Amino acid sequence: MQEKKRAERRINTFLMVDGHDVAHARKHMLALSVQNGAAATAEFEEAARIEGRTAQELAAVILAKPDELMVKENKRRGLIVAVRNAHSLAELNKILADNGVPAHYEDQRLALLP
C-alpha cells in the first residue's frame, strides 16, 4: 500500500538522526569507557572542565540519563512496525496523528506529469 510507504517516509524524516544525536551517542560511549576505567579523551576532559566536574563525575551524569539515540530509534522502529501492521487508512492516519508525525515535504508537491 502506497500510503504505508509514505507514512514510513514521514516517520523516518521526523525521527531522523541528526548531529546532536550523534554527539550525544559519542559522549555516551566515551562515558561508558571512562566509567570502565579507560583514560578520558582530551575532548571528554574538556567537556568535564566546562561542566566543572571530573571526567568520572561527568561520565556518571551522562550515564544516569537515558541513551537518547536508542530511545529515538526505538520510537522510530515502533512506529514503522505499527504502520506496517495497520489494517486501514484510518488506523494508519491515527498512528501518525497520535505521535505528532508531520507531513513530509514531498507529499505537498504536485507531481509533474509528462
Side-chain angles (χ1 to χ4, degrees):
M1 173 196 291
Q2 189 64 31
E3 290 84 6
K4 287 186 180 184
K5 289 295 181 189
R6 283 193 185 112
E8 287 183 29
R9 180 176 62 192
R10 286 174 61 182
I11 291 164
N12 286 331
T13 300
F14 177 54
L15 294 170
M16 185 181 310
V17 172
D18 61 20
H20 180 265
D21 296 321
V22 173
H24 179 81
R26 177 150 166 72
K27 280 178 30 179
H28 189 84
M29 288 178 12
L30 290 171
L32 278 172
S33 67
V34 167
Q35 183 187 51
N36 290 328
T41 64
E43 296 84 6
F44 197 84
E45 287 287 353
E46 177 68 8
R49 188 194 61 73
I50 290 168
E51 296 293 331
R53 301 174 187 273
T54 66
Q56 292 74 24
E57 290 169 340
L58 180 59
V61 168
I62 290 169
L63 295 173
K65 299 175 185 176
D67 182 344
E68 292 176 17
L69 192 58
M70 280 302 300
V71 169
K72 190 174 193 179
E73 174 57 16
N74 288 342
K75 179 172 182 168
R76 186 195 71 79
R77 193 69 200 142
L79 289 174
I80 293 291
V81 170
V83 159
R84 289 179 180 171
N85 291 332
H87 296 293
S88 68
L89 186 55
E91 185 181 353
L92 185 68
N93 289 331
K94 182 171 176 15
I95 292 165
L96 297 172
D98 287 353
N99 289 281
V101 179
H104 190 276
Y105 64 90
E106 286 289 333
D107 295 336
Q108 308 303 312
R109 293 176 39 181
L110 295 174
L112 297 176
L113 300 174

